[in-house]
């Protein structure tokens, strides 16, 4: 019998150095709600004269990164974002309540995916975004939506309230289901929401050498797992654990065994639990951006130790060789099945 966990000391909430509002964002009722939130936190607020973000670039890429990552911009999502894109294998569709992330993960998958400085942009026209989702549902068939592709929604929730609003919305849907994932841990405001089982809350975790060295500005893995425990026990949510990006570091089996053991100690109750297993990969473009952001990174970006994988659109990424991938996959599938016989592995990639 595992003893009740000792609660980890929660990490600090991310607070931007400045908050920018475009005129269009201030015209939105949700933009006004965000304005009230940031005013209550006594954050520096700038109302921009036009619907363009300026003054975010420094003298070089590193300074630009630093400025952008300390800036929260409240804008409106363009109409193009109302045309949703599929996002297999994670979900049927993706939509966005924000773009950009306050964390400093040195393997960041947003590198090369978003244009311009990596400022955290929050969308003030959230009600319009949510109203649009019903167009993509099919009657009498479950339709899933991922909201974490371009941001960590929990990392900015204290500033926006947007994740809670999404959860409330999906609690009213008959066939629509929400999925979100985070490396943060402040979940108190989500525990009493009327989700009706239509939101799956997930945390992203990794072995200690990866999380401690490469995931700056995030909650510890211990905090994330304890937050997930609260979401299950107190909130009654379906749960998920994303192990990513999986890396064959030195003594990887021992390190990942420690992680899996702690997962089983904290998620030791009956719940609807899924797993997603994602190996590390990178593209030439993302490597270039990451090295400009983190020139002293210890992240392994050696193309000669990888194989090239191409998609049907001609894009390429560097992944581990078949033997390494097979060893990693077999390890996780075996060890997860042993610890979580009722859990479901959704995919390996």
């Amino acid at each position: 019998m595992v003893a009740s966990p000792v609660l980890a000391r929660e990490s600090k909430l991310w607070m931007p150095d400045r908050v920018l509002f475009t005129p269009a964002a201030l015209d939105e009722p949700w933009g006004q709600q965000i304005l009230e939130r940031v005013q209550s936190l006594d954050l520096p607020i700038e109302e921009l004269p036009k619907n363009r973000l300026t003054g975010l670039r420094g003298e070089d890429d590193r300074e630009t990164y630093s400025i952008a990552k300390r800036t929260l911009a409240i804008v409106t999502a363009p109409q193009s974002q109302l045309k949703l894109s599929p996002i297999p294998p994670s979900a049927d569709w993706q939509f966005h309540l924000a773009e950009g992330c306050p964390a400093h993960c040195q393997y960041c998958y947003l590198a090369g995916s978003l244009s311009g400085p990596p400022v955290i942009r929050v969308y003030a026209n959230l009600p319009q975004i949510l109203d649009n989702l019903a167009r993509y549902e099919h009657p009498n068939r479950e339709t899933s939506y991922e909201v974490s592709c371009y941001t960590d929604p929990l990392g900015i929730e204290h500033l926006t309230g947007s994740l809670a609003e999404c959860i409330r919305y999906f609690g009213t849907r008959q066939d629509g289901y929400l999925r979100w994932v985070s490396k943060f841990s402040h979940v108190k405001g989500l525990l009493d929401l009327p989700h009706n089982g239509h939101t799956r809350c997930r945390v992203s975790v990794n072995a200690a050498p990866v999380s401690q060295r490469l995931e700056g500005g995030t909650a510890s893995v211990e905090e994330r797992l304890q937050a997930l425990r609260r979401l299950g026990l107190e909130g009654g949510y379906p749960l998920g654990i994303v192990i990513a990006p999986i890396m064959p570091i030195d003594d990887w089996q021992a390190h990942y065994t420690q992680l899996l053991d702690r997962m089983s100690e904290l998620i030791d109750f009956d719940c609807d639990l899924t797993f997603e297993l994602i190996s590390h990969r990178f593209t030439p473009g993302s490597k270039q951006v990451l090295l400009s952001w983190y020139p002293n990174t210890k992240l392994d970006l050696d193309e000669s130790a990888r194989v090239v994988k191409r998609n049907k659109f001609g894009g390429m990424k560097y992944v581990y060789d078949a033997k390494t991938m097979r060893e990693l996959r077999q390890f996780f599938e075996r060890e997860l099945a042993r610890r979580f016989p009722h859990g479901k592995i959704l995919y390996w990639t």
Side-chain angles (χ1 to χ4, degrees), residues 166-184:
C166 291
I167 292 172
R168 292 189 196 98
Y169 169 83
F170 277 92
T172 69
R173 306 305 299 169
Q174 182 173 344
D175 300 307
Y177 290 80
L178 177 68
R179 295 161 53 75
W180 62 270
V181 65
S182 180
K183 292 189 181 77
F184 292 85

mmCIF file with all atom_site columns, all heavy atoms in Angstrom, residues 166-184:
data_model
loop_
_atom_site.group_PDB
_atom_site.id
_atom_site.type_symbol
_atom_site.label_atom_id
_atom_site.label_alt_id
_atom_site.label_comp_id
_atom_site.label_asym_id
_atom_site.label_entity_id
_atom_site.label_seq_id
_atom_site.pdbx_PDB_ins_code
_atom_site.Cartn_x
_atom_site.Cartn_y
_atom_site.Cartn_z
_atom_site.occupancy
_atom_site.B_iso_or_equiv
_atom_site.pdbx_formal_charge
_atom_site.auth_seq_id
_atom_site.auth_comp_id
_atom_site.auth_asym_id
_atom_site.auth_atom_id
_atom_site.pdbx_PDB_model_num
ATOM 1   N N   . CYS A 1 166 ? -13.118 26.879 -21.973 1.00 0.00 ? 166 CYS A N   1
ATOM 2   C CA  . CYS A 1 166 ? -13.181 25.761 -22.917 1.00 0.00 ? 166 CYS A CA  1
ATOM 3   C C   . CYS A 1 166 ? -13.777 24.523 -22.249 1.00 0.00 ? 166 CYS A C   1
ATOM 4   O O   . CYS A 1 166 ? -14.602 23.817 -22.841 1.00 0.00 ? 166 CYS A O   1
ATOM 5   C CB  . CYS A 1 166 ? -11.789 25.434 -23.449 1.00 0.00 ? 166 CYS A CB  1
ATOM 6   S SG  . CYS A 1 166 ? -11.070 26.683 -24.531 1.00 0.00 ? 166 CYS A SG  1
ATOM 7   N N   . ILE A 1 167 ? -13.361 24.251 -21.014 1.00 0.00 ? 167 ILE A N   1
ATOM 8   C CA  . ILE A 1 167 ? -13.871 23.079 -20.300 1.00 0.00 ? 167 ILE A CA  1
ATOM 9   C C   . ILE A 1 167 ? -15.373 23.210 -20.069 1.00 0.00 ? 167 ILE A C   1
ATOM 10  O O   . ILE A 1 167 ? -16.139 22.256 -20.251 1.00 0.00 ? 167 ILE A O   1
ATOM 11  C CB  . ILE A 1 167 ? -13.113 22.902 -18.976 1.00 0.00 ? 167 ILE A CB  1
ATOM 12  C CG1 . ILE A 1 167 ? -11.659 22.516 -19.252 1.00 0.00 ? 167 ILE A CG1 1
ATOM 13  C CG2 . ILE A 1 167 ? -13.781 21.841 -18.098 1.00 0.00 ? 167 ILE A CG2 1
ATOM 14  C CD1 . ILE A 1 167 ? -10.764 22.509 -18.027 1.00 0.00 ? 167 ILE A CD1 1
ATOM 15  N N   . ARG A 1 168 ? -15.816 24.402 -19.678 1.00 0.00 ? 168 ARG A N   1
ATOM 16  C CA  . ARG A 1 168 ? -17.255 24.626 -19.493 1.00 0.00 ? 168 ARG A CA  1
ATOM 17  C C   . ARG A 1 168 ? -18.011 24.392 -20.795 1.00 0.00 ? 168 ARG A C   1
ATOM 18  O O   . ARG A 1 168 ? -19.084 23.772 -20.810 1.00 0.00 ? 168 ARG A O   1
ATOM 19  C CB  . ARG A 1 168 ? -17.512 26.054 -19.006 1.00 0.00 ? 168 ARG A CB  1
ATOM 20  C CG  . ARG A 1 168 ? -17.028 26.348 -17.601 1.00 0.00 ? 168 ARG A CG  1
ATOM 21  C CD  . ARG A 1 168 ? -17.525 27.721 -17.143 1.00 0.00 ? 168 ARG A CD  1
ATOM 22  N NE  . ARG A 1 168 ? -16.781 28.165 -15.972 1.00 0.00 ? 168 ARG A NE  1
ATOM 23  C CZ  . ARG A 1 168 ? -15.755 28.993 -15.999 1.00 0.00 ? 168 ARG A CZ  1
ATOM 24  N NH1 . ARG A 1 168 ? -15.323 29.485 -17.161 1.00 0.00 ? 168 ARG A NH1 1
ATOM 25  N NH2 . ARG A 1 168 ? -15.140 29.340 -14.887 1.00 0.00 ? 168 ARG A NH2 1
ATOM 26  N N   . TYR A 1 169 ? -17.464 24.896 -21.896 1.00 0.00 ? 169 TYR A N   1
ATOM 27  C CA  . TYR A 1 169 ? -18.122 24.731 -23.198 1.00 0.00 ? 169 TYR A CA  1
ATOM 28  C C   . TYR A 1 169 ? -18.271 23.253 -23.538 1.00 0.00 ? 169 TYR A C   1
ATOM 29  O O   . TYR A 1 169 ? -19.362 22.796 -23.904 1.00 0.00 ? 169 TYR A O   1
ATOM 30  C CB  . TYR A 1 169 ? -17.320 25.461 -24.285 1.00 0.00 ? 169 TYR A CB  1
ATOM 31  C CG  . TYR A 1 169 ? -17.781 25.123 -25.686 1.00 0.00 ? 169 TYR A CG  1
ATOM 32  C CD1 . TYR A 1 169 ? -18.874 25.776 -26.249 1.00 0.00 ? 169 TYR A CD1 1
ATOM 33  C CD2 . TYR A 1 169 ? -17.150 24.133 -26.437 1.00 0.00 ? 169 TYR A CD2 1
ATOM 34  C CE1 . TYR A 1 169 ? -19.316 25.461 -27.526 1.00 0.00 ? 169 TYR A CE1 1
ATOM 35  C CE2 . TYR A 1 169 ? -17.584 23.812 -27.711 1.00 0.00 ? 169 TYR A CE2 1
ATOM 36  C CZ  . TYR A 1 169 ? -18.664 24.477 -28.246 1.00 0.00 ? 169 TYR A CZ  1
ATOM 37  O OH  . TYR A 1 169 ? -19.104 24.141 -29.513 1.00 0.00 ? 169 TYR A OH  1
ATOM 38  N N   . PHE A 1 170 ? -17.198 22.493 -23.422 1.00 0.00 ? 170 PHE A N   1
ATOM 39  C CA  . PHE A 1 170 ? -17.269 21.087 -23.800 1.00 0.00 ? 170 PHE A CA  1
ATOM 40  C C   . PHE A 1 170 ? -18.144 20.286 -22.828 1.00 0.00 ? 170 PHE A C   1
ATOM 41  O O   . PHE A 1 170 ? -18.676 19.240 -23.195 1.00 0.00 ? 170 PHE A O   1
ATOM 42  C CB  . PHE A 1 170 ? -15.872 20.492 -23.914 1.00 0.00 ? 170 PHE A CB  1
ATOM 43  C CG  . PHE A 1 170 ? -15.233 20.776 -25.238 1.00 0.00 ? 170 PHE A CG  1
ATOM 44  C CD1 . PHE A 1 170 ? -14.437 21.896 -25.412 1.00 0.00 ? 170 PHE A CD1 1
ATOM 45  C CD2 . PHE A 1 170 ? -15.456 19.947 -26.325 1.00 0.00 ? 170 PHE A CD2 1
ATOM 46  C CE1 . PHE A 1 170 ? -13.860 22.177 -26.634 1.00 0.00 ? 170 PHE A CE1 1
ATOM 47  C CE2 . PHE A 1 170 ? -14.884 20.215 -27.562 1.00 0.00 ? 170 PHE A CE2 1
ATOM 48  C CZ  . PHE A 1 170 ? -14.094 21.335 -27.721 1.00 0.00 ? 170 PHE A CZ  1
ATOM 49  N N   . GLY A 1 171 ? -18.324 20.782 -21.621 1.00 0.00 ? 171 GLY A N   1
ATOM 50  C CA  . GLY A 1 171 ? -19.245 20.138 -20.699 1.00 0.00 ? 171 GLY A CA  1
ATOM 51  C C   . GLY A 1 171 ? -20.684 20.201 -21.157 1.00 0.00 ? 171 GLY A C   1
ATOM 52  O O   . GLY A 1 171 ? -21.530 19.445 -20.666 1.00 0.00 ? 171 GLY A O   1
ATOM 53  N N   . THR A 1 172 ? -20.989 21.101 -22.097 1.00 0.00 ? 172 THR A N   1
ATOM 54  C CA  . THR A 1 172 ? -22.349 21.229 -22.625 1.00 0.00 ? 172 THR A CA  1
ATOM 55  C C   . THR A 1 172 ? -22.540 20.458 -23.929 1.00 0.00 ? 172 THR A C   1
ATOM 56  O O   . THR A 1 172 ? -23.655 20.376 -24.438 1.00 0.00 ? 172 THR A O   1
ATOM 57  C CB  . THR A 1 172 ? -22.696 22.701 -22.901 1.00 0.00 ? 172 THR A CB  1
ATOM 58  O OG1 . THR A 1 172 ? -21.915 23.189 -24.017 1.00 0.00 ? 172 THR A OG1 1
ATOM 59  C CG2 . THR A 1 172 ? -22.404 23.569 -21.679 1.00 0.00 ? 172 THR A CG2 1
ATOM 60  N N   . ARG A 1 173 ? -21.478 19.908 -24.485 1.00 0.00 ? 173 ARG A N   1
ATOM 61  C CA  . ARG A 1 173 ? -21.573 19.234 -25.785 1.00 0.00 ? 173 ARG A CA  1
ATOM 62  C C   . ARG A 1 173 ? -21.966 17.768 -25.599 1.00 0.00 ? 173 ARG A C   1
ATOM 63  O O   . ARG A 1 173 ? -21.606 17.133 -24.613 1.00 0.00 ? 173 ARG A O   1
ATOM 64  C CB  . ARG A 1 173 ? -20.228 19.301 -26.535 1.00 0.00 ? 173 ARG A CB  1
ATOM 65  C CG  . ARG A 1 173 ? -19.658 20.692 -26.715 1.00 0.00 ? 173 ARG A CG  1
ATOM 66  C CD  . ARG A 1 173 ? -20.636 21.620 -27.391 1.00 0.00 ? 173 ARG A CD  1
ATOM 67  N NE  . ARG A 1 173 ? -20.996 21.156 -28.729 1.00 0.00 ? 173 ARG A NE  1
ATOM 68  C CZ  . ARG A 1 173 ? -21.994 21.676 -29.442 1.00 0.00 ? 173 ARG A CZ  1
ATOM 69  N NH1 . ARG A 1 173 ? -22.744 22.650 -28.931 1.00 0.00 ? 173 ARG A NH1 1
ATOM 70  N NH2 . ARG A 1 173 ? -22.255 21.214 -30.645 1.00 0.00 ? 173 ARG A NH2 1
ATOM 71  N N   . GLN A 1 174 ? -22.670 17.251 -26.578 1.00 0.00 ? 174 GLN A N   1
ATOM 72  C CA  . GLN A 1 174 ? -23.061 15.849 -26.517 1.00 0.00 ? 174 GLN A CA  1
ATOM 73  C C   . GLN A 1 174 ? -21.987 14.941 -27.099 1.00 0.00 ? 174 GLN A C   1
ATOM 74  O O   . GLN A 1 174 ? -21.703 13.869 -26.548 1.00 0.00 ? 174 GLN A O   1
ATOM 75  C CB  . GLN A 1 174 ? -24.374 15.627 -27.274 1.00 0.00 ? 174 GLN A CB  1
ATOM 76  C CG  . GLN A 1 174 ? -24.874 14.186 -27.208 1.00 0.00 ? 174 GLN A CG  1
ATOM 77  C CD  . GLN A 1 174 ? -26.256 14.037 -27.811 1.00 0.00 ? 174 GLN A CD  1
ATOM 78  O OE1 . GLN A 1 174 ? -26.970 15.000 -28.022 1.00 0.00 ? 174 GLN A OE1 1
ATOM 79  N NE2 . GLN A 1 174 ? -26.642 12.793 -28.099 1.00 0.00 ? 174 GLN A NE2 1
ATOM 80  N N   . ASP A 1 175 ? -21.344 15.375 -28.184 1.00 0.00 ? 175 ASP A N   1
ATOM 81  C CA  . ASP A 1 175 ? -20.384 14.514 -28.874 1.00 0.00 ? 175 ASP A CA  1
ATOM 82  C C   . ASP A 1 175 ? -18.995 15.124 -28.984 1.00 0.00 ? 175 ASP A C   1
ATOM 83  O O   . ASP A 1 175 ? -18.109 14.523 -29.590 1.00 0.00 ? 175 ASP A O   1
ATOM 84  C CB  . ASP A 1 175 ? -20.903 14.181 -30.285 1.00 0.00 ? 175 ASP A CB  1
ATOM 85  C CG  . ASP A 1 175 ? -22.232 13.454 -30.250 1.00 0.00 ? 175 ASP A CG  1
ATOM 86  O OD1 . ASP A 1 175 ? -22.309 12.426 -29.554 1.00 0.00 ? 175 ASP A OD1 1
ATOM 87  O OD2 . ASP A 1 175 ? -23.194 13.916 -30.897 1.00 0.00 ? 175 ASP A OD2 1
ATOM 88  N N   . GLY A 1 176 ? -18.772 16.315 -28.443 1.00 0.00 ? 176 GLY A N   1
ATOM 89  C CA  . GLY A 1 176 ? -17.464 16.962 -28.522 1.00 0.00 ? 176 GLY A CA  1
ATOM 90  C C   . GLY A 1 176 ? -16.648 16.746 -27.256 1.00 0.00 ? 176 GLY A C   1
ATOM 91  O O   . GLY A 1 176 ? -17.176 16.825 -26.139 1.00 0.00 ? 176 GLY A O   1
ATOM 92  N N   . TYR A 1 177 ? -15.360 16.479 -27.433 1.00 0.00 ? 177 TYR A N   1
ATOM 93  C CA  . TYR A 1 177 ? -14.469 16.178 -26.307 1.00 0.00 ? 177 TYR A CA  1
ATOM 94  C C   . TYR A 1 177 ? -13.186 16.993 -26.430 1.00 0.00 ? 177 TYR A C   1
ATOM 95  O O   . TYR A 1 177 ? -12.603 17.088 -27.515 1.00 0.00 ? 177 TYR A O   1
ATOM 96  C CB  . TYR A 1 177 ? -14.133 14.682 -26.261 1.00 0.00 ? 177 TYR A CB  1
ATOM 97  C CG  . TYR A 1 177 ? -15.318 13.836 -25.858 1.00 0.00 ? 177 TYR A CG  1
ATOM 98  C CD1 . TYR A 1 177 ? -16.300 13.501 -26.779 1.00 0.00 ? 177 TYR A CD1 1
ATOM 99  C CD2 . TYR A 1 177 ? -15.468 13.396 -24.547 1.00 0.00 ? 177 TYR A CD2 1
ATOM 100 C CE1 . TYR A 1 177 ? -17.416 12.748 -26.411 1.00 0.00 ? 177 TYR A CE1 1
ATOM 101 C CE2 . TYR A 1 177 ? -16.567 12.634 -24.164 1.00 0.00 ? 177 TYR A CE2 1
ATOM 102 C CZ  . TYR A 1 177 ? -17.531 12.318 -25.100 1.00 0.00 ? 177 TYR A CZ  1
ATOM 103 O OH  . TYR A 1 177 ? -18.620 11.572 -24.726 1.00 0.00 ? 177 TYR A OH  1
ATOM 104 N N   . LEU A 1 178 ? -12.749 17.556 -25.314 1.00 0.00 ? 178 LEU A N   1
ATOM 105 C CA  . LEU A 1 178 ? -11.562 18.417 -25.267 1.00 0.00 ? 178 LEU A CA  1
ATOM 106 C C   . LEU A 1 178 ? -10.375 17.653 -24.696 1.00 0.00 ? 178 LEU A C   1
ATOM 107 O O   . LEU A 1 178 ? -10.525 16.832 -23.791 1.00 0.00 ? 178 LEU A O   1
ATOM 108 C CB  . LEU A 1 178 ? -11.853 19.631 -24.380 1.00 0.00 ? 178 LEU A CB  1
ATOM 109 C CG  . LEU A 1 178 ? -10.697 20.626 -24.153 1.00 0.00 ? 178 LEU A CG  1
ATOM 110 C CD1 . LEU A 1 178 ? -10.354 21.355 -25.445 1.00 0.00 ? 178 LEU A CD1 1
ATOM 111 C CD2 . LEU A 1 178 ? -11.066 21.628 -23.046 1.00 0.00 ? 178 LEU A CD2 1
ATOM 112 N N   . ARG A 1 179 ? -9.192  17.956 -25.214 1.00 0.00 ? 179 ARG A N   1
ATOM 113 C CA  . ARG A 1 179 ? -7.940  17.396 -24.714 1.00 0.00 ? 179 ARG A CA  1
ATOM 114 C C   . ARG A 1 179 ? -6.938  18.532 -24.543 1.00 0.00 ? 179 ARG A C   1
ATOM 115 O O   . ARG A 1 179 ? -6.787  19.367 -25.433 1.00 0.00 ? 179 ARG A O   1
ATOM 116 C CB  . ARG A 1 179 ? -7.378  16.365 -25.705 1.00 0.00 ? 179 ARG A CB  1
ATOM 117 C CG  . ARG A 1 179 ? -8.244  15.145 -25.872 1.00 0.00 ? 179 ARG A CG  1
ATOM 118 C CD  . ARG A 1 179 ? -7.924  14.394 -27.169 1.00 0.00 ? 179 ARG A CD  1
ATOM 119 N NE  . ARG A 1 179 ? -6.515  14.076 -27.298 1.00 0.00 ? 179 ARG A NE  1
ATOM 120 C CZ  . ARG A 1 179 ? -5.891  13.105 -26.626 1.00 0.00 ? 179 ARG A CZ  1
ATOM 121 N NH1 . ARG A 1 179 ? -6.563  12.361 -25.775 1.00 0.00 ? 179 ARG A NH1 1
ATOM 122 N NH2 . ARG A 1 179 ? -4.617  12.871 -26.811 1.00 0.00 ? 179 ARG A NH2 1
ATOM 123 N N   . TRP A 1 180 ? -6.292  18.569 -23.375 1.00 0.00 ? 180 TRP A N   1
ATOM 124 C CA  . TRP A 1 180 ? -5.221  19.548 -23.179 1.00 0.00 ? 180 TRP A CA  1
ATOM 125 C C   . TRP A 1 180 ? -4.096  18.888 -22.391 1.00 0.00 ? 180 TRP A C   1
ATOM 126 O O   . TRP A 1 180 ? -4.300  17.912 -21.670 1.00 0.00 ? 180 TRP A O   1
ATOM 127 C CB  . TRP A 1 180 ? -5.728  20.807 -22.465 1.00 0.00 ? 180 TRP A CB  1
ATOM 128 C CG  . TRP A 1 180 ? -6.277  20.607 -21.084 1.00 0.00 ? 180 TRP A CG  1
ATOM 129 C CD1 . TRP A 1 180 ? -7.569  20.330 -20.744 1.00 0.00 ? 180 TRP A CD1 1
ATOM 130 C CD2 . TRP A 1 180 ? -5.551  20.675 -19.843 1.00 0.00 ? 180 TRP A CD2 1
ATOM 131 N NE1 . TRP A 1 180 ? -7.693  20.215 -19.378 1.00 0.00 ? 180 TRP A NE1 1
ATOM 132 C CE2 . TRP A 1 180 ? -6.475  20.434 -18.795 1.00 0.00 ? 180 TRP A CE2 1
ATOM 133 C CE3 . TRP A 1 180 ? -4.213  20.928 -19.519 1.00 0.00 ? 180 TRP A CE3 1
ATOM 134 C CZ2 . TRP A 1 180 ? -6.103  20.421 -17.455 1.00 0.00 ? 180 TRP A CZ2 1
ATOM 135 C CZ3 . TRP A 1 180 ? -3.842  20.922 -18.170 1.00 0.00 ? 180 TRP A CZ3 1
ATOM 136 C CH2 . TRP A 1 180 ? -4.779  20.673 -17.164 1.00 0.00 ? 180 TRP A CH2 1
ATOM 137 N N   . VAL A 1 181 ? -2.891  19.437 -22.544 1.00 0.00 ? 181 VAL A N   1
ATOM 138 C CA  . VAL A 1 181 ? -1.718  18.888 -21.872 1.00 0.00 ? 181 VAL A CA  1
ATOM 139 C C   . VAL A 1 181 ? -0.854  20.033 -21.380 1.00 0.00 ? 181 VAL A C   1
ATOM 140 O O   . VAL A 1 181 ? -0.851  21.129 -21.973 1.00 0.00 ? 181 VAL A O   1
ATOM 141 C CB  . VAL A 1 181 ? -0.925  17.957 -22.812 1.00 0.00 ? 181 VAL A CB  1
ATOM 142 C CG1 . VAL A 1 181 ? -0.335  18.717 -23.995 1.00 0.00 ? 181 VAL A CG1 1
ATOM 143 C CG2 . VAL A 1 181 ? 0.180   17.217 -22.060 1.00 0.00 ? 181 VAL A CG2 1
ATOM 144 N N   . SER A 1 182 ? -0.129  19.805 -20.276 1.00 0.00 ? 182 SER A N   1
ATOM 145 C CA  . SER A 1 182 ? 0.635   20.888 -19.660 1.00 0.00 ? 182 SER A CA  1
ATOM 146 C C   . SER A 1 182 ? 1.879   20.366 -18.965 1.00 0.00 ? 182 SER A C   1
ATOM 147 O O   . SER A 1 182 ? 1.958   19.196 -18.578 1.00 0.00 ? 182 SER A O   1
ATOM 148 C CB  . SER A 1 182 ? -0.243  21.620 -18.634 1.00 0.00 ? 182 SER A CB  1
ATOM 149 O OG  . SER A 1 182 ? 0.468   22.685 -18.021 1.00 0.00 ? 182 SER A OG  1
ATOM 150 N N   . LYS A 1 183 ? 2.826   21.283 -18.779 1.00 0.00 ? 183 LYS A N   1
ATOM 151 C CA  . LYS A 1 183 ? 3.980   21.054 -17.911 1.00 0.00 ? 183 LYS A CA  1
ATOM 152 C C   . LYS A 1 183 ? 3.905   21.947 -16.675 1.00 0.00 ? 183 LYS A C   1
ATOM 153 O O   . LYS A 1 183 ? 4.901   22.158 -15.990 1.00 0.00 ? 183 LYS A O   1
ATOM 154 C CB  . LYS A 1 183 ? 5.290   21.319 -18.660 1.00 0.00 ? 183 LYS A CB  1
ATOM 155 C CG  . LYS A 1 183 ? 5.607   20.334 -19.779 1.00 0.00 ? 183 LYS A CG  1
ATOM 156 C CD  . LYS A 1 183 ? 7.021   20.559 -20.299 1.00 0.00 ? 183 LYS A CD  1
ATOM 157 C CE  . LYS A 1 183 ? 7.372   19.608 -21.429 1.00 0.00 ? 183 LYS A CE  1
ATOM 158 N NZ  . LYS A 1 183 ? 6.749   20.015 -22.702 1.00 0.00 ? 183 LYS A NZ  1
ATOM 159 N N   . PHE A 1 184 ? 2.707   22.488 -16.401 1.00 0.00 ? 184 PHE A N   1
ATOM 160 C CA  . PHE A 1 184 ? 2.496   23.311 -15.221 1.00 0.00 ? 184 PHE A CA  1
ATOM 161 C C   . PHE A 1 184 ? 1.556   22.591 -14.261 1.00 0.00 ? 184 PHE A C   1
ATOM 162 O O   . PHE A 1 184 ? 1.104   21.484 -14.543 1.00 0.00 ? 184 PHE A O   1
ATOM 163 C CB  . PHE A 1 184 ? 1.984   24.692 -15.637 1.00 0.00 ? 184 PHE A CB  1
ATOM 164 C CG  . PHE A 1 184 ? 3.022   25.505 -16.365 1.00 0.00 ? 184 PHE A CG  1
ATOM 165 C CD1 . PHE A 1 184 ? 3.203   25.369 -17.738 1.00 0.00 ? 184 PHE A CD1 1
ATOM 166 C CD2 . PHE A 1 184 ? 3.841   26.388 -15.687 1.00 0.00 ? 184 PHE A CD2 1
ATOM 167 C CE1 . PHE A 1 184 ? 4.167   26.097 -18.418 1.00 0.00 ? 184 PHE A CE1 1
ATOM 168 C CE2 . PHE A 1 184 ? 4.819   27.121 -16.346 1.00 0.00 ? 184 PHE A CE2 1
ATOM 169 C CZ  . PHE A 1 184 ? 4.982   26.974 -17.710 1.00 0.00 ? 184 PHE A CZ  1
#
